[in-house]
Amino acid sequence: MTTATSATLSTHLAQFPDVLEQLTAAHEAAWVTVDPHILELCRLRIASMLGAEAEMAINTPQAALTAEKRSALSQWPLSPLFTESEKACLAFTEEFVIDVASLQETTAIRVGELLGQQELADFVSALLVVEQRIRISLAWQTLFGEEQ
Amino acid sequence: MNTRNARIAPKTYAAVPLRTPLGDWQAAVVRMTALDPITTELVRLRCARYHDCKT
């Protein structure tokens, strides 16, 4: 699926096809390695926090996220629609986006307890790819005065 | 110096299908030449320190 983010990345990385190719491969791998439902919740939370409107406007089909749950995302700590694993990953995501260097040990441990150690490692790597794509795209859109 | 504890069990890495392109992407970025080598290294070291990366 071509999104505004992938279009921005393709445009600005046109002269660096190896960088674009590997970033695209990592992004595709993220969605098949990590539970796409959880990753979609985290992608939307990142987009919301960073003001990435184009990212918020799209759906990842394999995530199978209902409109009800999507609209409840901003209230995830109190919503019964979210599982404990999803809440742990969303808490991790919020700290990751705000200041990754200050991410609390308890936050990371909670994800590991609920998902497993291997899944925690996968989740962190997938989250990094998803977050970096959005941040890089937003930075270029802002620097070059492009529409989202 | 940062004294954070490890949050992931030793020798636990992201799955190969994800880790390989992620590593290749980061390597491809470092090979870019648009930025001069000194600035590139300063950014790399700043990122490594911020992310508590000892490699």
Side-chain angles (χ1 to χ4, degrees):
Chain A
M1 179 171 61
T2 300
T3 65
T5 297
S6 59
T8 299
L9 293 170
S10 296
T11 299
H12 292 283
L13 288 174
Q15 296 177 47
F16 307 98
D18 57 334
V19 176
L20 179 61
E21 180 184 334
Q22 297 305 337
L23 178 55
T24 302
H27 187 240
E28 289 172 357
W31 288 95
V32 295
T33 305
V34 172
D35 179 344
H37 190 81
I38 287 181
L39 196 55
E40 176 72 344
L41 291 172
C42 296
R43 182 190 68 79
L44 288 168
R45 192 69 191 109
I46 292 169
S48 173
M49 292 174 76
L50 297 180
E53 294 174 10
E55 282 287 319
M56 292 169 66
I58 61 171
N59 289 303
T60 304
Q62 65 266 38
L65 188 61
T66 64
E68 182 188 18
K69 194 164 180 177
R70 187 184 169 107
S71 65
L73 186 54
S74 62
Q75 290 93 40
W76 67 262
L78 300 174
S79 172
L81 296 175
F82 297 86
T83 66
E84 288 305 306
S85 295
E86 291 165 356
K87 288 181 177 180
C89 289
L90 284 164
F92 189 106
T93 299
E94 292 188 351
E95 291 185 31
F96 188 94
V97 170
I98 292 168
D99 183 4
V100 68
S102 299
L103 200 141
Q104 297 297 303
E105 193 167 340
T106 51
T107 306
I109 288 172
R110 181 73 174 146
V111 175
E113 286 174 344
L114 291 166
L115 297 186
Q117 288 297 300
Q118 179 61 56
E119 289 75 12
L120 170 59
D122 293 341
F123 173 71
V124 174
S125 295
L127 194 64
L128 172 70
V129 174
V130 169
E131 186 235 19
Q132 291 286 290
R133 284 180 85 257
I134 295 174
R135 279 196 193 271
I136 292 169
S137 179
L138 279 175
W140 278 331
Q141 287 163 0
T142 302
L143 280 171
F144 296 103
E146 298 166 355
E147 295 283 329
Q148 270 195 46
Chain B
M1 198 63 180
N2 202 309
T3 57
R4 273 176 276 173
N5 296 323
R7 284 93 180 266
I8 294 179
K11 299 186 179 179
T12 305
Y13 306 101
V16 170
L18 173 56
R19 178 160 38 109
T20 300
L22 181 54
D24 289 346
W25 169 48
Q26 291 166 340
V29 169
V30 171
R31 285 196 302 270
M32 295 172 83
T33 56
L35 208 57
D36 68 272
I38 292 176
T39 306
T40 299
E41 182 64 1
L42 287 172
V43 170
R44 189 190 67 78
L45 288 169
R46 170 72 180 121
C47 291
R49 186 174 182 84
Y50 190 73
H51 288 273
D52 197 25
C53 179
K54 298 178 175 63
T55 57

